[in-house]
Amino acid sequence: VQLQASGGGLVQAGGSLRLSCAASGRTFSRYTMGWFRQAPGKEREFVAVIRWSGTTDYADSVKGRFTISRDNAKNTVYLQMNSLKPEDTAVYYCAATGEGLSRTMNDYDYWGRGTQVTVSS
């Protein structure tokens, strides 16, 4: 599975962005898809995850503001980010795993290149 994230950019605090992650391969629908982020000087952290069934899980820091979704027909997973805060500034990565819902980076087998999200105050 090859992953390509897009949709990042510069936005003011309170604004919105939608990230997309396009996947290659016909078995996309079988994978659990996750979003992670890494801010400057910090470790990469879990953001959100969605199973093939649509079950989701979110980090507490984004719950209620971010929504993960997927379109299996388009081999794409999305991250809708609303009410953005400066602390959301990071490089965002999408990843795929054959495991169930997981917040653990080591469970993910495939990673895309990140897309930069910058939120100005």
Side-chain angles (χ1 to χ4, degrees), residues 70-116:
R70 66 191 296 163
D71 185 336
N72 289 334
K74 295 183 178 180
N75 282 9
T76 302
V77 62
Y78 304 97
L79 186 68
Q80 177 66 44
M81 305 185 295
N82 299 329
S83 302
L84 283 161
K85 305 175 181 180
E87 51 263 44
D88 294 318
T89 295
V91 177
Y92 284 71
Y93 299 89
C94 61
T97 177
E99 303 289 334
L101 285 179
S102 174
R103 298 184 172 201
T104 305
M105 286 190 296
N106 287 344
D107 286 341
Y108 287 78
D109 304 302
Y110 305 98
W111 290 82
R113 293 184 181 180
T115 184
Q116 176 71 49

Short mmCIF file of all heavy atoms in Angstrom, two decimals, residues 70-116:
data_model
loop_
_atom_site.label_atom_id
_atom_site.label_comp_id
_atom_site.label_asym_id
_atom_site.label_seq_id
_atom_site.Cartn_x
_atom_site.Cartn_y
_atom_site.Cartn_z
N ARG A 70 -13.69 7.83 5.68
CA ARG A 70 -13.04 7.13 4.57
C ARG A 70 -14.05 6.86 3.47
O ARG A 70 -15.25 6.69 3.73
CB ARG A 70 -12.38 5.83 5.03
CG ARG A 70 -13.35 4.76 5.52
CD ARG A 70 -12.58 3.63 6.21
NE ARG A 70 -11.71 2.93 5.28
CZ ARG A 70 -10.70 2.15 5.67
NH1 ARG A 70 -10.44 1.99 6.96
NH2 ARG A 70 -9.95 1.53 4.77
N ASP A 71 -13.55 6.82 2.26
CA ASP A 71 -14.34 6.45 1.09
C ASP A 71 -13.61 5.29 0.43
O ASP A 71 -12.63 5.49 -0.29
CB ASP A 71 -14.46 7.65 0.14
CG ASP A 71 -15.38 7.38 -1.04
OD1 ASP A 71 -15.56 6.19 -1.40
OD2 ASP A 71 -15.89 8.34 -1.62
N ASN A 72 -14.06 4.10 0.69
CA ASN A 72 -13.37 2.91 0.19
C ASN A 72 -13.41 2.83 -1.34
O ASN A 72 -12.52 2.27 -1.96
CB ASN A 72 -13.94 1.65 0.82
CG ASN A 72 -13.58 1.54 2.29
OD1 ASN A 72 -12.57 2.08 2.73
ND2 ASN A 72 -14.42 0.85 3.05
N ALA A 73 -14.45 3.38 -1.93
CA ALA A 73 -14.55 3.36 -3.40
C ALA A 73 -13.47 4.23 -4.03
O ALA A 73 -13.05 3.98 -5.16
CB ALA A 73 -15.92 3.83 -3.83
N LYS A 74 -13.05 5.26 -3.30
CA LYS A 74 -12.02 6.16 -3.80
C LYS A 74 -10.64 5.89 -3.19
O LYS A 74 -9.69 6.62 -3.44
CB LYS A 74 -12.41 7.62 -3.53
CG LYS A 74 -13.66 8.07 -4.27
CD LYS A 74 -13.95 9.53 -4.01
CE LYS A 74 -15.17 10.00 -4.80
NZ LYS A 74 -15.48 11.43 -4.55
N ASN A 75 -10.55 4.85 -2.36
CA ASN A 75 -9.28 4.54 -1.69
C ASN A 75 -8.71 5.75 -0.96
O ASN A 75 -7.50 6.01 -1.03
CB ASN A 75 -8.25 4.00 -2.70
CG ASN A 75 -8.49 2.55 -3.06
OD1 ASN A 75 -9.52 1.97 -2.69
ND2 ASN A 75 -7.56 1.96 -3.79
N THR A 76 -9.55 6.46 -0.27
CA THR A 76 -9.13 7.70 0.36
C THR A 76 -9.68 7.80 1.78
O THR A 76 -10.82 7.43 2.04
CB THR A 76 -9.61 8.92 -0.46
OG1 THR A 76 -9.08 8.82 -1.79
CG2 THR A 76 -9.12 10.22 0.16
N VAL A 77 -8.83 8.32 2.66
CA VAL A 77 -9.24 8.63 4.02
C VAL A 77 -9.07 10.13 4.21
O VAL A 77 -8.16 10.74 3.65
CB VAL A 77 -8.44 7.82 5.05
CG1 VAL A 77 -6.96 8.15 4.99
CG2 VAL A 77 -8.97 8.04 6.45
N TYR A 78 -9.97 10.71 4.99
CA TYR A 78 -9.99 12.16 5.19
C TYR A 78 -9.85 12.50 6.67
O TYR A 78 -10.20 11.72 7.54
CB TYR A 78 -11.31 12.74 4.67
CG TYR A 78 -11.61 12.43 3.24
CD1 TYR A 78 -12.45 11.37 2.91
CD2 TYR A 78 -11.06 13.18 2.21
CE1 TYR A 78 -12.74 11.07 1.58
CE2 TYR A 78 -11.32 12.88 0.89
CZ TYR A 78 -12.17 11.83 0.58
OH TYR A 78 -12.44 11.54 -0.73
N LEU A 79 -9.35 13.69 6.91
CA LEU A 79 -9.34 14.24 8.26
C LEU A 79 -9.85 15.67 8.16
O LEU A 79 -9.15 16.56 7.67
CB LEU A 79 -7.94 14.21 8.87
CG LEU A 79 -7.89 14.64 10.34
CD1 LEU A 79 -8.59 13.61 11.22
CD2 LEU A 79 -6.44 14.81 10.80
N GLN A 80 -11.10 15.86 8.59
CA GLN A 80 -11.67 17.20 8.63
C GLN A 80 -11.29 17.84 9.96
O GLN A 80 -11.59 17.28 11.02
CB GLN A 80 -13.20 17.12 8.51
CG GLN A 80 -13.90 18.46 8.60
CD GLN A 80 -13.58 19.38 7.45
OE1 GLN A 80 -13.56 18.96 6.30
NE2 GLN A 80 -13.32 20.65 7.75
N MET A 81 -10.63 18.97 9.88
CA MET A 81 -10.12 19.64 11.07
C MET A 81 -10.80 20.99 11.21
O MET A 81 -10.63 21.86 10.35
CB MET A 81 -8.60 19.81 10.98
CG MET A 81 -7.87 18.50 10.74
SD MET A 81 -6.07 18.68 10.78
CE MET A 81 -5.80 19.73 9.37
N ASN A 82 -11.57 21.15 12.26
CA ASN A 82 -12.28 22.40 12.53
C ASN A 82 -11.76 23.03 13.81
O ASN A 82 -11.09 22.37 14.61
CB ASN A 82 -13.78 22.14 12.66
CG ASN A 82 -14.39 21.59 11.39
OD1 ASN A 82 -13.95 21.88 10.28
ND2 ASN A 82 -15.42 20.77 11.55
N SER A 83 -12.09 24.29 13.99
CA SER A 83 -11.69 25.02 15.21
C SER A 83 -10.20 24.83 15.49
O SER A 83 -9.79 24.52 16.62
CB SER A 83 -12.52 24.54 16.41
OG SER A 83 -13.89 24.74 16.17
N LEU A 84 -9.40 25.00 14.47
CA LEU A 84 -7.96 24.76 14.60
C LEU A 84 -7.32 25.72 15.58
O LEU A 84 -7.71 26.90 15.68
CB LEU A 84 -7.30 24.84 13.23
CG LEU A 84 -7.50 23.60 12.36
CD1 LEU A 84 -7.24 23.90 10.89
CD2 LEU A 84 -6.61 22.46 12.84
N LYS A 85 -6.31 25.20 16.27
CA LYS A 85 -5.57 25.96 17.27
C LYS A 85 -4.09 25.99 16.87
O LYS A 85 -3.62 25.09 16.17
CB LYS A 85 -5.70 25.29 18.64
CG LYS A 85 -7.13 25.08 19.10
CD LYS A 85 -7.15 24.30 20.41
CE LYS A 85 -8.57 24.06 20.88
NZ LYS A 85 -8.59 23.29 22.16
N PRO A 86 -3.36 26.98 17.33
CA PRO A 86 -1.92 27.01 17.01
C PRO A 86 -1.20 25.73 17.42
O PRO A 86 -0.26 25.31 16.75
CB PRO A 86 -1.43 28.21 17.81
CG PRO A 86 -2.61 29.12 17.88
CD PRO A 86 -3.79 28.20 18.01
N GLU A 87 -1.65 25.10 18.49
CA GLU A 87 -1.00 23.86 18.93
C GLU A 87 -1.29 22.68 18.02
O GLU A 87 -0.73 21.59 18.21
CB GLU A 87 -1.40 23.52 20.37
CG GLU A 87 -2.89 23.52 20.65
CD GLU A 87 -3.36 24.84 21.24
OE1 GLU A 87 -2.93 25.91 20.76
OE2 GLU A 87 -4.16 24.79 22.19
N ASP A 88 -2.16 22.85 17.03
CA ASP A 88 -2.37 21.81 16.03
C ASP A 88 -1.32 21.87 14.92
O ASP A 88 -1.29 20.99 14.05
CB ASP A 88 -3.75 21.95 15.39
CG ASP A 88 -4.89 21.69 16.38
OD1 ASP A 88 -4.77 20.75 17.18
OD2 ASP A 88 -5.88 22.44 16.34
N THR A 89 -0.48 22.87 14.95
CA THR A 89 0.58 23.01 13.95
C THR A 89 1.52 21.81 14.01
O THR A 89 2.06 21.48 15.07
CB THR A 89 1.37 24.30 14.17
OG1 THR A 89 0.51 25.42 13.96
CG2 THR A 89 2.56 24.39 13.23
N ALA A 90 1.67 21.14 12.88
CA ALA A 90 2.49 19.92 12.82
C ALA A 90 2.53 19.42 11.39
O ALA A 90 1.76 19.89 10.54
CB ALA A 90 1.91 18.84 13.73
N VAL A 91 3.38 18.45 11.17
CA VAL A 91 3.32 17.67 9.94
C VAL A 91 2.39 16.49 10.22
O VAL A 91 2.56 15.77 11.21
CB VAL A 91 4.70 17.17 9.52
CG1 VAL A 91 4.58 16.29 8.28
CG2 VAL A 91 5.64 18.33 9.26
N TYR A 92 1.40 16.33 9.36
CA TYR A 92 0.41 15.28 9.53
C TYR A 92 0.71 14.12 8.59
O TYR A 92 0.93 14.32 7.39
CB TYR A 92 -0.99 15.82 9.27
CG TYR A 92 -1.51 16.65 10.43
CD1 TYR A 92 -0.97 17.90 10.70
CD2 TYR A 92 -2.52 16.18 11.26
CE1 TYR A 92 -1.42 18.66 11.77
CE2 TYR A 92 -2.99 16.92 12.33
CZ TYR A 92 -2.43 18.17 12.58
OH TYR A 92 -2.88 18.91 13.65
N TYR A 93 0.66 12.90 9.15
CA TYR A 93 0.96 11.70 8.39
C TYR A 93 -0.24 10.76 8.42
O TYR A 93 -0.88 10.61 9.45
CB TYR A 93 2.15 10.96 9.01
CG TYR A 93 3.44 11.73 9.03
CD1 TYR A 93 3.75 12.55 10.10
CD2 TYR A 93 4.36 11.61 7.99
CE1 TYR A 93 4.94 13.26 10.13
CE2 TYR A 93 5.55 12.32 8.02
CZ TYR A 93 5.83 13.14 9.09
OH TYR A 93 7.01 13.83 9.11
N CYS A 94 -0.49 10.10 7.30
CA CYS A 94 -1.46 9.02 7.31
C CYS A 94 -0.71 7.69 7.29
O CYS A 94 0.42 7.62 6.81
CB CYS A 94 -2.44 9.13 6.14
SG CYS A 94 -1.69 9.04 4.51
N ALA A 95 -1.37 6.68 7.82
CA ALA A 95 -0.73 5.37 7.95
C ALA A 95 -1.79 4.28 7.86
O ALA A 95 -2.97 4.52 8.12
CB ALA A 95 0.03 5.28 9.26
N ALA A 96 -1.33 3.08 7.53
CA ALA A 96 -2.24 1.95 7.38
C ALA A 96 -1.75 0.76 8.19
O ALA A 96 -0.54 0.50 8.26
CB ALA A 96 -2.37 1.55 5.90
N THR A 97 -2.69 0.03 8.76
CA THR A 97 -2.36 -1.16 9.53
C THR A 97 -3.41 -2.24 9.28
O THR A 97 -4.58 -1.94 9.05
CB THR A 97 -2.28 -0.85 11.03
OG1 THR A 97 -2.03 -2.06 11.74
CG2 THR A 97 -3.57 -0.24 11.56
N GLY A 98 -2.96 -3.48 9.41
CA GLY A 98 -3.89 -4.59 9.33
C GLY A 98 -4.49 -4.93 10.68
O GLY A 98 -5.35 -5.82 10.78
N GLU A 99 -4.07 -4.21 11.71
CA GLU A 99 -4.61 -4.42 13.05
C GLU A 99 -5.97 -3.73 13.18
O GLU A 99 -6.44 -3.08 12.25
CB GLU A 99 -3.64 -3.83 14.09
CG GLU A 99 -2.24 -4.39 14.02
CD GLU A 99 -2.16 -5.82 14.49
OE1 GLU A 99 -3.02 -6.23 15.29
OE2 GLU A 99 -1.22 -6.53 14.07
N GLY A 100 -6.57 -3.83 14.33
CA GLY A 100 -7.80 -3.12 14.61
C GLY A 100 -7.49 -1.68 14.96
O GLY A 100 -6.44 -1.15 14.60
N LEU A 101 -8.40 -1.05 15.66
CA LEU A 101 -8.17 0.33 16.08
C LEU A 101 -6.90 0.38 16.92
O LEU A 101 -6.80 -0.30 17.94
CB LEU A 101 -9.35 0.86 16.90
CG LEU A 101 -10.61 1.23 16.14
CD1 LEU A 101 -11.68 1.70 17.11
CD2 LEU A 101 -10.34 2.30 15.12
N SER A 102 -5.94 1.18 16.50
CA SER A 102 -4.69 1.26 17.22
C SER A 102 -4.20 2.70 17.27
O SER A 102 -4.27 3.42 16.28
CB SER A 102 -3.62 0.40 16.56
OG SER A 102 -2.37 0.60 17.19
N ARG A 103 -3.68 3.08 18.43
CA ARG A 103 -3.06 4.39 18.62
C ARG A 103 -1.53 4.29 18.58
O ARG A 103 -0.85 5.28 18.77
CB ARG A 103 -3.49 5.00 19.96
CG ARG A 103 -4.98 5.26 20.11
CD ARG A 103 -5.26 5.95 21.42
NE ARG A 103 -6.65 6.38 21.53
CZ ARG A 103 -7.08 7.32 22.36
NH1 ARG A 103 -6.22 7.93 23.17
NH2 ARG A 103 -8.35 7.65 22.41
N THR A 104 -1.03 3.08 18.36
CA THR A 104 0.40 2.81 18.47
C THR A 104 1.08 2.84 17.11
O THR A 104 0.73 2.05 16.23
CB THR A 104 0.63 1.45 19.13
OG1 THR A 104 -0.06 1.41 20.39
CG2 THR A 104 2.10 1.20 19.35
N MET A 105 2.06 3.71 16.98
CA MET A 105 2.74 3.85 15.69
C MET A 105 3.34 2.55 15.20
O MET A 105 3.32 2.25 14.01
CB MET A 105 3.83 4.92 15.79
CG MET A 105 3.31 6.33 15.84
SD MET A 105 4.64 7.52 15.67
CE MET A 105 5.58 7.17 17.16
N ASN A 106 3.88 1.77 16.12
CA ASN A 106 4.56 0.54 15.71
C ASN A 106 3.61 -0.49 15.09
O ASN A 106 4.06 -1.44 14.46
CB ASN A 106 5.29 -0.09 16.89
CG ASN A 106 6.53 0.69 17.28
OD1 ASN A 106 7.02 1.51 16.51
ND2 ASN A 106 7.04 0.45 18.46
N ASP A 107 2.31 -0.31 15.29
CA ASP A 107 1.35 -1.23 14.69
C ASP A 107 1.11 -0.94 13.21
O ASP A 107 0.50 -1.75 12.52
CB ASP A 107 0.01 -1.14 15.42
CG ASP A 107 0.04 -1.81 16.79
OD1 ASP A 107 0.96 -2.63 17.02
OD2 ASP A 107 -0.83 -1.50 17.62
N TYR A 108 1.56 0.21 12.75
CA TYR A 108 1.28 0.64 11.39
C TYR A 108 2.40 0.22 10.44
O TYR A 108 3.57 0.47 10.70
CB TYR A 108 1.05 2.15 11.34
CG TYR A 108 -0.27 2.52 11.95
CD1 TYR A 108 -0.44 2.58 13.33
CD2 TYR A 108 -1.37 2.78 11.14
CE1 TYR A 108 -1.68 2.87 13.89
CE2 TYR A 108 -2.61 3.09 11.70
CZ TYR A 108 -2.75 3.13 13.07
OH TYR A 108 -3.98 3.42 13.62
N ASP A 109 2.00 -0.42 9.34
CA ASP A 109 2.96 -0.99 8.41
C ASP A 109 3.33 -0.04 7.28
O ASP A 109 4.41 -0.15 6.70
CB ASP A 109 2.38 -2.27 7.79
CG ASP A 109 1.97 -3.27 8.84
OD1 ASP A 109 2.84 -3.67 9.64
OD2 ASP A 109 0.79 -3.66 8.85
N TYR A 110 2.42 0.85 6.94
CA TYR A 110 2.63 1.73 5.79
C TYR A 110 2.40 3.18 6.20
O TYR A 110 1.44 3.48 6.92
CB TYR A 110 1.66 1.36 4.65
CG TYR A 110 1.74 -0.09 4.24
CD1 TYR A 110 0.83 -1.03 4.74
CD2 TYR A 110 2.74 -0.52 3.37
CE1 TYR A 110 0.92 -2.35 4.37
CE2 TYR A 110 2.83 -1.85 3.01
CZ TYR A 110 1.92 -2.77 3.52
OH TYR A 110 2.01 -4.09 3.15
N TRP A 111 3.28 4.02 5.70
CA TRP A 111 3.22 5.44 6.04
C TRP A 111 3.34 6.28 4.77
O TRP A 111 4.10 5.94 3.86
CB TRP A 111 4.36 5.81 6.98
CG TRP A 111 4.21 5.25 8.34
CD1 TRP A 111 4.54 3.99 8.75
CD2 TRP A 111 3.66 5.91 9.48
NE1 TRP A 111 4.23 3.84 10.08
CE2 TRP A 111 3.69 5.00 10.55
CE3 TRP A 111 3.14 7.19 9.69
CZ2 TRP A 111 3.21 5.33 11.83
CZ3 TRP A 111 2.68 7.52 10.95
CH2 TRP A 111 2.72 6.59 12.00
N GLY A 112 2.60 7.37 4.75
CA GLY A 112 2.75 8.32 3.67
C GLY A 112 3.69 9.44 4.08
O GLY A 112 4.05 9.58 5.24
N ARG A 113 4.09 10.22 3.10
CA ARG A 113 4.83 11.45 3.41
C ARG A 113 3.86 12.43 4.04
O ARG A 113 2.68 12.44 3.72
CB ARG A 113 5.43 12.03 2.14
CG ARG A 113 6.52 11.17 1.54
CD ARG A 113 7.16 11.84 0.34
NE ARG A 113 8.19 11.01 -0.24
CZ ARG A 113 8.91 11.35 -1.30
NH1 ARG A 113 8.70 12.50 -1.89
NH2 ARG A 113 9.83 10.55 -1.76
N GLY A 114 4.36 13.22 4.90
CA GLY A 114 3.50 14.12 5.64
C GLY A 114 3.06 15.33 4.85
O GLY A 114 3.63 15.66 3.80
N THR A 115 2.07 16.01 5.40
CA THR A 115 1.62 17.28 4.85
C THR A 115 1.61 18.30 6.00
O THR A 115 1.13 18.01 7.09
CB THR A 115 0.23 17.15 4.19
OG1 THR A 115 -0.13 18.39 3.58
CG2 THR A 115 -0.86 16.73 5.17
N GLN A 116 2.16 19.47 5.72
CA GLN A 116 2.34 20.47 6.77
C GLN A 116 1.04 21.24 7.03
O GLN A 116 0.41 21.74 6.09
CB GLN A 116 3.43 21.46 6.38
CG GLN A 116 3.65 22.60 7.36
CD GLN A 116 4.29 22.16 8.65
OE1 GLN A 116 5.29 21.46 8.65
NE2 GLN A 116 3.72 22.60 9.78
#
